[in-house]
Amino acid sequence: MLSDLIEVISFLLFWALDLGKELLYGIFRCRPRKKICNENILITGSGQGIGKLVAERLAKDQNILHCVDINQTLNEKMAADLRAKGSNCTIYTYTCDVGEAANIAELGRQIKENVPDKHISYLFNIAGIVMGKSFEEETEKQMEKVIKVNVLGVMYLQKMVYKEMVENYGHIVNISSLAGIVSGPLLADYCCSKYAVRGLTQAMLSEMDYIGKKNVKFTSVHPHITKTGMFNNAQAKWSLVFPLLEPDWVADQVIIGTQEEREQLILPKITNLFLMPEHFMSTKVYRKYCEVLGNSTMKTFKKIRDE
């Protein structure tokens, strides 16, 4: 009984100290940031969208970039453009469908062949797909593809780098979505996949605590709809409060969140305030609340991007 009481008191102190620290960081904007330099970095979805922009921001300080995309043409153009700018880094490109375990095994072999003396120290799981169809309209093959790329691909890649990270150090950044926290129509499989990515990240954070390892960091990023080809023509209901996000800004926040070792990053940050009422509402009321906030962003969506 006494040990339980001590544990509760210790937790309350831990909570109070963490809350105080977060308030100080928020007021004075003084959160420490690590420098990402001379690292061996793996980025998926690097040929376009957020993946491409993240690669551009990491193409400096003698980093080694392993850029992975299913679209070989776009991926190699991105790398060529960075090389033409004289980026202070080494860039390797790989064409890979990350939803297949055999492909990940081959990818790992190629990476080791290119850089045999370094482990992957940063993994940015950015590749993802969306169908934007009703559950009735979507085929089983399409649903399977979304889960394979958005969930299994993240897990396969994490598995590929995990052992060496634990033996050395590392940071895994998983791009989820606001749809991994708040669901909406025409996104059943996508929400399912992004909830899974959030759950995986949270579970790995717990596992690091459980095994007593502090050298591997995890971050899940949950952006609102971003103005990329992936969400072509999607619209925001309350654009002054929840605007569609600029890709460059999202990429900046991904890098900053990684440098600050944030465990969960919700974009824009004001969204956190609107998520709080969930625990004071029934599920029926919360669904209506999300509808009022505008969770039907996909009703105007027009798919143009090949996945």
Side-chain angles (χ1 to χ4, degrees):
M1 182 66 181
L2 180 59
S3 62
D4 291 338
L5 181 59
I6 292 172
E7 185 179 14
V8 170
I9 293 172
S10 297
F11 165 73
L12 292 174
L13 288 172
F14 173 75
W15 183 14
L17 287 171
D18 185 72
L19 182 59
K21 182 178 69 175
E22 290 297 321
L23 287 172
L24 286 174
Y25 286 157
I27 294 170
F28 297 105
R29 298 184 182 277
C30 59
R31 191 184 298 273
R33 293 182 185 176
K34 62 185 177 183
K35 190 169 178 61
I36 303 175
C37 61
N38 196 29
E39 300 290 355
N40 199 31
I41 303 171
L42 174 56
I43 307 166
T44 69
S46 54
Q48 54 192 318
I50 302 303
K52 177 183 177 182
L53 295 171
V54 166
E56 289 175 356
R57 283 152 177 76
L58 293 170
K60 58 182 180 179
D61 297 326
Q62 298 183 322
N63 288 320
I64 300 172
L65 303 187
H66 301 276
C67 298
V68 180
D69 202 285
I70 196 170
N71 189 316
Q72 182 178 5
T73 302
L74 290 178
N75 202 32
E76 291 184 352
K77 182 180 184 306
M78 175 279 303
D81 290 344
L82 289 181
R83 294 186 187 109
K85 292 177 182 177
S87 299
N88 182 20
C89 72
T90 302
I91 306 172
Y92 297 98
T93 59
Y94 310 84
T95 304
C96 178
D97 178 354
V98 298
E100 300 294 336
N103 295 349
I104 301 302
E106 175 61 17
L107 174 66
R109 187 195 65 77
Q110 292 175 11
I111 290 173
K112 273 298 180 186
E113 188 175 89
N114 286 329
V115 185
D117 58 338
K118 283 194 169 200
H119 76 287
I120 294 294
S121 51
Y122 284 80
L123 166 60
F124 290 84
N125 272 313
I126 302 177
I129 60 173
V130 65
M131 297 299 172
K133 297 181 178 182
S134 69
F135 188 76
E136 181 179 4
E137 181 184 8
E138 197 162 14
T139 66
E140 288 86 349
K141 186 175 181 180
Q142 288 172 327
M143 288 189 289
E144 181 182 14
K145 183 66 174 177
V146 169
I147 298 302
K148 277 188 170 184
V149 173
N150 293 3
V151 183
L152 293 179
V154 170
M155 298 183 77
Y156 294 154
L157 285 156
Q158 179 174 294
K159 186 71 172 175
M160 185 184 83
V161 304
Y162 178 72
K163 186 175 185 293
E164 286 191 318
M165 279 192 177
V166 170
E167 292 171 351
N168 296 277
Y169 68 93
H171 194 146
I172 295 175
V173 181
N174 294 326
I175 305 300
S176 178
S177 167
L178 195 56
I181 299 174
V182 178
S183 58
L186 308 181
L187 287 169
D189 56 346
Y190 186 77
C191 285
C192 176
S193 70
K194 293 305 182 178
Y195 269 79
V197 170
R198 182 185 180 216
L200 171 66
T201 310
Q202 294 295 320
M204 292 309 302
L205 286 165
S206 295
E207 190 157 321
M208 292 301 100
D209 292 338
Y210 180 75
I211 65 177
K213 291 287 186 179
K214 299 183 182 297
N215 58 328
V216 182
K217 310 299 181 182
F218 289 85
T219 300
S220 64
V221 184
H222 304 269
H224 184 34
I225 297 289
T226 305
K227 296 178 184 177
T228 64
M230 186 172 177
F231 288 99
N232 177 59
N233 210 47
Q235 296 180 4
K237 182 176 181 180
W238 303 98
S239 57
L240 292 178
V241 183
F242 302 113
L244 299 187
L245 303 181
E246 295 295 334
D248 280 295
W249 181 80
V250 173
D252 286 340
Q253 296 306 304
V254 169
I255 298 298
I256 291 170
T258 303
Q259 292 176 313
E260 294 180 347
E261 296 184 345
R262 304 292 291 270
E263 295 180 349
Q264 180 171 274
L265 193 61
I266 296 174
L267 303 173
K269 292 179 181 178
I270 193 173
T271 309
N272 286 280
L273 296 176
F274 292 90
L275 296 176
M276 293 173 64
E278 177 182 7
H279 304 290
F280 303 97
M281 298 177 179
S282 67
T283 55
K284 182 193 298 184
V285 172
Y286 188 67
R287 274 202 315 279
K288 187 65 177 178
Y289 172 72
C290 292
E291 184 182 330
V292 171
L293 291 180
N295 67 342
S296 298
T297 55
M298 297 296 284
K299 65 183 179 182
T300 55
F301 168 74
K302 294 179 181 179
K303 190 172 180 64
I304 60 168
R305 194 168 111 175
D306 292 331
E307 310 293 0

